[in-house]
Amino acid sequence: MAAALRGPGGRFRWRTWAAAAAAAAAGGVRGAARSAAAGRQDYDLLVIGGGSGGLACAKEAAQLGKKVAVVDYVEPSPQGTRWGLGGTCVNVGCIPKKLMHQAALLGGMIQDAPHYGWAIQPVLHDWRTMAEAVQNHVKSLNWGHRVQLQDRKVKYFNIKACFVNEHTVCGVAKDGKETLLSAEHIVIATGGRPRYPTHIEGALEYGITSDDIFWLKESPGKTLVVGASYVALECAGFLTGLGLDTTVMIRSIPLRGFDQQMSSLVTEYMASQGTRFLRGCTPSRVRRLPDGQLQVTWEDLTSGKEDMGTFNTVLWATVRRGLSALSPASCPSSVNPGSESVLLSESSSASTSVNRMSAECSEGQSRQRLSGPGWPGPSMPCSEAPGRSRAASQSSGLPRSLSGFPEFSERLEVRP
Ligand SMILES: Cc1cc2nc3c(=O)[nH]c(=O)nc-3n(C[C@H](O)[C@H](O)[C@H](O)COP(=O)(O)OP(=O)(O)OC[C@H]3O[C@@H](n4cnc5c(N)ncnc54)[C@H](O)[C@@H]3O)c2cc1C
């Protein structure tokens, strides 16, 4: 969840090839960071990511007397959903999910109630009311987290961070304002986000993900959930429980990586409650029909035949990837992304072996390194990095991820 580098002597340290070279030339990165120019700030610990991991880490460190800052920034989902401090769990994960499950369970109890002697009039569920209550609760948690940080004297920055060097990050606010923050130790706790399939026509244009479902103002209606991860099944579960016509499309097996006997029990139970399963199928196209419905075309992988169905909502729950925004190309001070390099651990005994870490585009492009020659030196202002180009910034539009590095993702990459 959260990741840090522990160097010799229990010290957290970040090391980049470029920074190492620059440090040698400039007499030490830390020295440069210390001689902070106007606008720079020094912290004992800087946490990138204000989710469960980052907030816990920041609060603990502050309680131990450290000067701590947290930077958190939520990139809106492709459908424009945005939320506040607290990360996935609070805003688009555990919390809203459990509340929606609770709503579904209540519906089930109401259905059972007449058998226990309760005289129940037909009861209808109103998505709008539930969603508003869930969203208000989440907003109260956002606020609570801010207050907790303030109480513990943890400075909070609502900025999107990327590394400038081993002790410095550059953060960009919504209005484009840049802030340079330096710290002795930097923790990465950036979590993960759902990704859309890039090869399916209409997937991004017409689909949503778990980042959106909890923030919908209107009922999603008849829904196709594509995927077999726990996120997919949980969303399908509460949608069914709320009385919505719900179908789950699975390419191979549900809940890969989980005990398969348990996963069978889960899917059998879901089917008994009314969730439809399309197994061994993979979608190939989503189109919007003139009446506004979504027409999904899929292939049955066993027969090779094509089939179609119409839905009001298509929810993609196939892949989650982490660390999308720390690569230099996502930074305004980005330099030639082609010469990016790897974040290195100073010690092979580091708690996170960062020399295994590399960033790659989720579209399967060749592996790219995180920093490298031409990477701004330690005393370089954010906006004056050499080689900065529009093209470099634009290339950051590609979602990037860390592969082979489970600590940096939520290990949710369950491909059906
Ligand atoms: C639908 C769903 C249901 C779930 N249910 C459960 C459950 O029941 N139980 C459970 O234990 N787990 C559950 N999870 C998983 C749980 O939500 C995550 O494991 C957990 O939230 C991860 O916490 P984190 O701190 O690592 O990352 P996150 O909570 O994702 O926080 C990372 C934060 O960093 C921010 N960030 C990223 N990059 C940058 C950057 N460059 N600069 C600044 N900020 C940045 C992100 O916007 C985010 O706010 C669920 C997840 C989902 C999607």
Side-chain angles (χ1 to χ4, degrees):
M1 201 154 60
L5 303 185
R6 186 176 286 280
R11 294 159 67 87
F12 291 106
R13 321 193 84 189
W14 275 103
R15 199 87 180 137
T16 66
W17 288 345
V29 171
R30 197 165 300 133
R34 283 265 162 74
S35 65
R40 289 209 198 171
Q41 307 187 37
D42 266 332
Y43 293 92
D44 296 320
L45 177 72
L46 175 66
V47 180
I48 307 178
S52 319
L55 290 176
C57 173
K59 286 184 222 165
E60 285 296 314
Q63 260 172 344
L64 292 169
K66 296 296 171 191
K67 192 177 176 198
V68 185
V70 171
V71 302
D72 187 68
Y73 184 86
V74 179
E75 200 70 68
S77 77
Q79 307 308 339
T81 309
R82 49 179 82 228
W83 53 88
L85 182 63
T88 304
C89 178
V90 167
N91 296 283
V92 285
C94 337
I95 303 283
K97 170 202 80 183
K98 284 184 172 81
L99 290 170
M100 292 200 177
H101 274 301
Q102 181 61 18
L105 289 171
L106 283 169
M109 289 178 92
I110 291 169
Q111 276 174 16
D112 288 346
H115 301 292
Y116 292 86
W118 292 102
I120 303 273
Q121 301 296 315
V123 183
L124 297 175
H125 182 259
D126 180 38
W127 177 280
R128 228 172 212 280
T129 307
M130 174 193 69
E132 200 180 310
V134 169
Q135 289 156 18
N136 285 340
H137 180 72
V138 168
K139 284 175 191 163
S140 77
L141 297 178
N142 297 149
W143 177 249
H145 280 303
R146 288 187 78 148
V147 171
Q148 280 179 17
L149 290 182
Q150 216 167 21
D151 288 349
R152 288 171 172 80
K153 303 201 169 16
V154 175
K155 184 92 176 126
Y156 162 60
F157 295 89
N158 185 205
I159 52 178
K160 180 177 174 182
C162 70
F163 277 92
V164 170
N165 62 43
E166 62 178 328
H167 291 283
T168 315
V169 302
C170 176
V172 186
K174 207 161 68 178
D175 61 5
K177 190 171 161 245
E178 293 176 17
T179 308
L180 210 54
L181 300 168
S182 61
E184 184 79 1
H185 309 297
I186 298 177
V187 166
I188 300 174
T190 47
R193 295 287 292 270
R195 299 286 183 230
Y196 281 84
T198 50
H199 60 288
I200 298 172
E201 183 192 323
L204 178 65
E205 205 174 346
Y206 302 121
I208 63 166
T209 68
S210 60
D211 276 358
D212 307 295
I213 185 84
F214 306 109
W215 293 89
L216 292 181
K217 298 253 182 286
E218 302 294 340
S219 168
K222 183 181 175 189
T223 302
L224 174 68
V225 178
V226 185
S229 62
Y230 77 79
V231 172
L233 298 191
E234 289 195 281
C235 289
F238 69 70
L239 292 175
T240 305
L242 294 173
L244 300 175
D245 183 335
T246 309
T247 303
V248 180
M249 187 177 290
I250 299 179
R251 192 171 63 188
S252 56
I253 57 166
L255 298 174
R256 186 189 299 281
F258 289 79
D259 181 290
Q260 281 303 298
Q261 252 181 320
M262 289 302 294
S263 102
S264 295
L265 286 176
V266 169
T267 49
E268 279 162 23
Y269 176 77
M270 288 178 67
S272 76
Q273 298 299 299
T275 308
R276 255 193 289 272
F277 284 91
L278 284 169
R279 291 173 184 264
C281 295
T282 182
S284 49
R285 195 167 55 240
V286 183
R287 282 196 182 137
R288 192 181 283 290
L289 298 173
D291 65 0
Q293 291 205 83
L294 300 176
Q295 183 187 64
V296 181
T297 308
W298 64 84
E299 187 192 345
D300 183 320
L301 295 169
T302 316
S303 66
K305 285 191 181 145
E306 234 181 34
D307 212 338
M308 266 182 202
T310 51
F311 303 88
N312 301 113
T313 301
V314 178
L315 190 154
W316 301 99
T318 48
V319 182
R320 287 183 69 85
R321 292 249 165 92
L323 208 64
S324 59
L326 292 176
S327 61
S330 65
C331 208
S333 58
S334 64
V335 292
N336 177 9
S339 64
E340 295 162 359
S341 82
V342 182
L343 288 162
L344 287 175
S345 165
E346 280 190 336
S347 154
S348 57
S349 65
S351 63
T352 300
S353 52
V354 169
N355 52 5
R356 278 200 294 122
M357 175 172 133
S358 66
E360 68 178 14
C361 298
S362 60
E363 278 84 351
Q365 295 195 350
S366 60
R367 296 170 88 82
Q368 292 195 356
R369 296 175 297 174
L370 284 178
S371 64
W375 187 230
S379 57
M380 188 72 66
C382 236
S383 52
E384 290 174 20
R388 183 183 168 196
S389 70
R390 177 64 32 205
S393 305
Q394 279 169 350
S395 72
S396 68
L398 288 173
R400 285 156 190 269
S401 69
L402 292 180
S403 63
F405 203 73
E407 299 94 318
F408 282 81
S409 70
E410 291 179 47
R411 310 191 71 175
L412 282 173
E413 202 174 319
V414 181
R415 291 165 195 259

